[in-house]
Amino acid sequence: MTKDMNGAVLVAIAATVGNILQGWDNATIAGSVSYIKKEFKLETQPTLEGLIVSMSLISATVVTACSGAMADWLGRRPLLVMSAFLYFVSGLVMLWSPNVYVLLLARLLDGFGMGLVVTMVPVYISEIAPPEIRGTLNTLPQFTGSAGMFLSYCMIFGMSLTDSPSWRLMLAVLSLPSLLYFVLAVFFLPETPRWLVSKGQMLEARKVLQRLRGTDDVAGELALLVEGLGVGCQTSLQKYIICPADEIINDQDAAVDEDSVRLYGTEGLSWVARPVTGHNSFGFSSHQQSFSSQMAPYVDPLVTLFSSVHEKLPDTGDNSSMLFPNFGSMFSVSGNQQKNEDWDEESLRGEGEEYTSDVANNESDDNLHSPLISRQTTSLEKEMVRHASDGNPIVDANGEPVNVGIGGGWQLAWKWTEKEGQDGTNEGYFKRIYMRQDSIAASCRPSFISTSAPGVDVPEGGEFIQADALVGRAALYSKDITDQPTVGPAVINPSEAASGPSWSYLFEPGVKHALFVGVGIQMLQQFSGISGVVYYTPQILEHAGICVLVSNIGISAASSCLLITAIMTLLTLPCIAVAMRLMDVAGRRSLLLGTIPVLIVALVILVLGSFVDLGTVVNAIIPTVSVLVYFCCFFMAFGPVPNILCAEIFPTRARGLCIAICSLTTWICDIIITYSLPVMLPSIGLSGIFGIYAVVCCISWVFVFLNVPETKGMPLEVITEFFSVGAKQATAARDI
């Protein structure tokens, strides 16, 4: 499944124009509030001043409470269109604003737009991005938001040099970029394929995926999206050994072994994946075993589970590619490696014959009744059949779908399984398998194969791959069609999959576990104080005295603060660019654990520096440098990662509701911080405020270390399955 990344990248960039508006608005109100205070004589009314700043946060909180249900009902894209319209209208109202009450109304409308952007853009990008670059693309909102802040501060600084700066004009400029965003949202942004699949609009979802991936071969990913509609499915961990079909030594034919799964790859070759008994969980490296044994009472089992996956992932171009190059294409990590469309079509398809699905011939499949991948009643004698140009996943000689690449080195495979029911009759269903290589190919036989899995031996010198898998019941399955002998078992889109979200999903163990992580990280992010620092940076710098020093160059103290703030915001952009590069390399968890200690050190230095008199210049520089370091490190990880995580860890049918809960938590904490800062600043001073933030950052590091897993490079549907399994492991660990 080779992906042309350009389509997804361009759409993600267009979506993040909304974050430019958010950053622009935040900086504009921070820079213009001093002028608003003078005109409306609010120097003696700090409560009203705080309300002007926090009104948008209040309205953002209100709209966020409704955004989850709205996003699941209307879609992600309409909410982005709505946010652009609200930004445009609020800018015009702020330009008019004859009194403080009209200004508050404008800020109310502005907050509605901001709440929709902040909530929906990370979800939108996560649902359209390939796993390999999802972290990078979801860091774009942080970059564009900071870029919007920089541009806004530059504009305000220029206007502050005039004789009579107009705060109305400062705020009204927002209408111009919001008009551009409205045009992009209406005419360029597509609806996300995951939402379309959840509503049964399969044909439109296919077209959107083809546009985003730059290829017609998207049926594998389309099948993955439908598999992701399940919530709370019974999933288990299983280890597999994968060998070429002709190298398996067995007492029975692997092709008919009920536990084996046939996999097809490049050049028409096939392999057989055999489960290894006695190994039903992901393994760990030696140092992980030592670490996990020491921290077992404290570290969430989910964290260890995710870490084990990334620990064992082979690097691109490693020995597995050299010893067994066809496995490299099956379990590749890079989105640029050869995938399904490079298959040898002549060897995979009989002469003059093509595999076609019912979907390909039916333009009205949006009701989810028509099969996405179905058993064929002709050409069953062929060894295997390749998907046609419309991109249907592979079926084997029995017509069963077998395996497709789904990104991030993962394969999605199906296996038709029958078991005896309570009434004594055989019940058939599709077993769904998410599979990923966990070690390089080897030419020797590992000890556990011969001891734990007799009958699955690999010949001396034979090549094999170990793979870990998440095994569960396929969501793409309808029991009704199994009674139709002319069709047989089929992987289809059940009509009930189009049903809307339910609050009952929130009580599934995996979803509850994800909510704990999402709500916790969002709360700690806000209580680390970033919102208050962003809104009141000019006043914080003025309080520190740096603005007075800079004003010696011939500009006012207020203009000096704006200039310094603009420079500081500009310096954060390279840091965010580095974070974009590292987000899918080092990972989300690693960035958090690496940058939060720097935040703590910067805040501690700020606090200690306030108690030592080193002179006017040094005492002014220390807070400025501390705030700068705080900004840069925060925007590298603690800024974007919570939103990225929350957009990744919830299942499709519960994502809207769960994101709304996490975002609602964010806005409530944001209001508390923003409203309390101007009150706290005169009483406990800058050092006291940053001392509190330092304590929160210490708590944040501990929380991340114990509870936040690494999700880089994993398809969203696989992540949610891991949360389901991890929640069960956590429950079992507590019961011991």
Side-chain angles (χ1 to χ4, degrees):
M1 186 175 57
T2 299
K3 302 185 183 79
D4 181 354
M5 305 295 185
N6 291 337
V9 170
L10 291 176
V11 169
I13 292 174
T16 56
V17 173
N19 295 96
I20 295 180
L21 303 179
Q22 176 207 358
W24 185 290
D25 177 68
N26 290 344
T28 302
I29 193 63
S32 62
V33 69
S34 59
Y35 302 107
I36 296 174
K37 286 169 58 178
K38 292 179 182 179
E39 178 171 335
F40 294 128
K41 298 179 176 57
L42 302 178
E43 289 83 355
T44 60
Q45 302 181 59
T47 301
L48 194 56
E49 174 195 349
L51 190 59
I52 291 174
V53 175
S54 61
M55 179 57 73
S56 62
L57 305 181
I58 295 173
S59 58
T61 303
V62 173
V63 77
T64 297
C66 309
S67 62
M70 292 169 61
D72 289 327
W73 175 39
L74 299 174
R76 284 55 162 144
R77 175 176 167 270
L79 297 192
L80 297 181
V81 174
M82 193 182 305
S83 69
F85 177 76
L86 289 168
Y87 267 126
F88 178 75
V89 173
S90 67
L92 296 181
V93 176
M94 283 187 282
L95 178 62
W96 171 50
S97 296
N99 54 57
V100 69
Y101 301 105
V102 175
L103 177 60
L104 290 174
L105 174 62
R107 294 288 296 162
L108 186 75
L109 297 175
D110 176 81
F112 287 147
M114 180 168 60
L116 293 176
V117 164
V118 172
T119 304
M120 284 297 108
V121 169
V123 177
Y124 183 87
I125 293 177
S126 290
E127 293 190 350
I128 61 101
E132 296 85 354
I133 61 171
R134 188 177 61 242
T136 297
L137 295 185
N138 241 333
T139 312
L140 274 174
Q142 188 70 65
F143 185 87
T144 55
S146 296
M149 291 174 61
F150 170 70
L151 295 174
S152 178
Y153 277 125
C154 289
M155 177 200 70
I156 297 172
F157 170 71
M159 296 179 68
S160 70
L161 300 178
T162 62
D163 295 333
S164 56
S166 172
W167 61 264
R168 290 180 176 84
L169 187 58
M170 294 178 186
L171 297 175
V173 173
L174 179 69
S175 295
L176 298 179
S178 63
L179 187 60
L180 170 64
Y181 189 45
F182 181 81
V183 173
L184 289 174
V186 171
F187 298 104
F188 182 72
L189 297 183
E191 183 54 79
T192 69
R194 282 178 170 84
W195 184 85
L196 292 171
V197 167
S198 72
K199 296 301 178 183
Q201 301 179 28
M202 302 301 298
L203 198 60
E204 183 63 24
R206 180 188 294 272
K207 293 177 181 177
V208 172
L209 275 176
Q210 289 171 341
R211 171 187 169 187
L212 295 174
R213 304 295 181 254
T215 177
D216 291 335
D217 181 13
V218 296
E221 186 169 0
L222 197 62
L224 170 68
L225 302 192
V226 185
E227 287 289 354
L229 296 179
V231 178
C233 301
Q234 294 296 322
T235 303
S236 61
L237 300 174
Q238 178 68 60
K239 183 177 289 294
Y240 281 81
I241 295 297
I242 306 175
C243 296
D246 56 358
E247 289 192 10
I248 294 279
I249 296 178
N250 207 303
D251 295 335
Q252 55 183 334
D253 185 359
V256 299
D257 186 350
E258 63 179 10
D259 293 324
S260 66
V261 180
R262 184 176 291 274
L263 304 173
Y264 299 122
T266 58
E267 302 176 2
L269 301 178
S270 64
W271 298 271
V272 173
R274 304 294 302 276
V276 179
T277 58
H279 290 265
N280 58 355
S281 63
F282 284 32
F284 303 94
S285 64
S286 58
H287 77 271
Q288 269 189 319
Q289 289 176 343
S290 175
F291 173 81
S292 60
S293 62
Q294 296 174 7
M295 303 301 297
Y298 311 105
V299 178
D300 191 331
L302 181 71
V303 173
T304 309
L305 184 63
F306 272 85
S307 298
S308 68
V309 176
H310 297 290
E311 176 77 17
K312 299 177 297 178
L313 177 64
D315 295 329
T316 303
D318 64 7
N319 293 338
S320 65
S321 298
M322 293 184 291
L323 294 175
F324 209 172
N326 294 303
F327 277 139
S329 65
M330 183 180 297
F331 291 99
S332 63
V333 182
S334 171
N336 296 325
Q337 293 188 10
Q338 291 183 342
K339 296 285 181 78
N340 290 347
E341 53 262 44
D342 291 331
W343 292 24
D344 181 359
E345 296 194 15
E346 292 183 0
S347 64
L348 293 173
R349 196 163 54 213
E351 293 185 8
E353 297 184 36
E354 290 186 346
Y355 171 76
T356 57
S357 75
D358 297 336
V359 172
N361 299 323
N362 187 355
E363 295 297 316
S364 59
D365 67 340
D366 284 356
N367 61 5
L368 283 182
H369 282 286
S370 56
L372 178 64
I373 313 165
S374 64
R375 178 188 295 272
Q376 301 298 295
T377 56
T378 60
S379 304
L380 293 182
E381 300 300 321
K382 291 184 295 182
E383 179 181 359
M384 55 184 160
V385 186
R386 185 196 185 270
H387 51 72
S389 59
D390 67 339
N392 294 295
I394 307 147
V395 295
D396 63 10
N398 296 319
E400 295 181 12
V402 183
N403 67 292
V404 289
I406 56 176
W410 288 87
Q411 290 278 316
L412 171 59
W414 296 273
K415 172 68 180 179
W416 179 253
T417 302
E418 293 186 357
K419 65 178 182 179
E420 185 175 345
Q422 296 180 351
D423 56 357
T425 60
N426 288 338
E427 177 186 357
Y429 65 95
F430 268 108
K431 182 188 296 182
R432 181 221 57 227
I433 306 169
Y434 294 124
M435 188 179 299
R436 189 183 195 182
Q437 177 182 354
D438 72 347
S439 62
I440 64 174
S443 58
C444 61
R445 181 180 345 179
S447 59
F448 73 82
I449 294 181
S450 58
T451 59
S452 298
V456 194
D457 288 338
V458 178
E460 287 294 337
E463 296 169 318
F464 66 90
I465 274 186
Q466 301 175 35
D468 288 321
L470 289 162
V471 182
R473 189 162 183 152
L476 296 173
Y477 169 71
S478 174
K479 184 178 179 180
D480 298 337
I481 65 170
T482 59
D483 297 329
Q484 303 177 25
T486 59
V487 178
V491 179
I492 72 163
N493 304 314
S495 58
E496 58 269 20
S499 62
S502 171
W503 286 95
S504 62
Y505 298 153
L506 302 182
F507 299 98
E508 292 291 340
V511 177
K512 287 194 297 182
H513 202 121
L515 274 174
F516 169 74
V517 174
V519 170
I521 195 69
Q522 292 284 13
M523 287 180 62
L524 292 170
Q525 180 207 50
Q526 290 304 312
F527 283 124
S528 68
I530 185 61
S531 298
V533 175
V534 167
Y535 286 128
Y536 292 99
T537 293
Q539 296 183 38
I540 290 174
L541 295 179
E542 185 176 1
H543 188 272
I546 190 67
C547 300
V548 176
L549 296 177
V550 177
S551 64
N552 292 330
I553 65 177
I555 59 178
S556 66
S559 297
S560 299
C561 290
L562 292 172
L563 176 61
I564 295 172
T565 304
I567 294 174
M568 293 174 62
T569 305
L570 176 63
L571 293 176
T572 64
L573 295 180
C575 297
I576 301 173
V578 172
M580 291 175 63
R581 176 67 182 90
L582 296 177
M583 197 64 69
D584 289 310
V585 178
R588 296 86 157 118
R589 174 182 167 85
S590 299
L591 282 177
L592 285 174
L593 294 177
T595 57
I596 291 178
V598 181
L599 295 179
I600 297 171
V601 171
L603 294 171
V604 170
I605 292 176
L606 173 63
V607 174
L608 296 178
S610 65
F611 294 104
V612 181
D613 187 5
L614 301 176
T616 304
V617 175
V618 176
N619 284 345
I621 290 177
I622 288 179
T624 304
V625 173
S626 298
V627 171
L628 176 60
V629 173
Y630 176 88
F631 269 166
C632 292
C633 291
F634 187 93
F635 289 146
M636 282 187 66
F638 215 2
V641 169
N643 288 336
I644 295 175
L645 282 173
C646 289
E648 292 177 330
I649 60 179
F650 302 114
T652 300
R653 294 173 72 177
R655 187 170 293 128
L657 291 174
C658 294
I659 285 292
I661 293 173
C662 293
S663 297
L664 187 62
T665 302
T666 300
W667 289 119
I668 293 174
C669 297
D670 197 344
I671 292 172
I672 295 173
I673 292 295
T674 305
Y675 199 80
S676 63
L677 184 57
V679 178
M680 296 168 60
L681 192 59
S683 58
I684 65 175
L686 195 65
S687 60
I689 291 173
F690 278 89
I692 295 174
Y693 295 164
V695 173
V696 174
C697 287
C698 291
I699 298 173
S700 301
W701 191 92
V702 174
F703 180 85
V704 171
F705 182 79
L706 298 180
N707 298 288
V708 176
E710 182 55 72
T711 59
K712 66 175 182 180
M714 302 176 69
L716 298 183
E717 289 72 18
V718 175
I719 293 173
T720 58
E721 289 291 340
F722 268 107
F723 265 90
S724 178
V725 174
K728 297 172 185 175
Q729 290 188 353
T731 301
R734 288 193 297 267
D735 293 339
I736 295 178

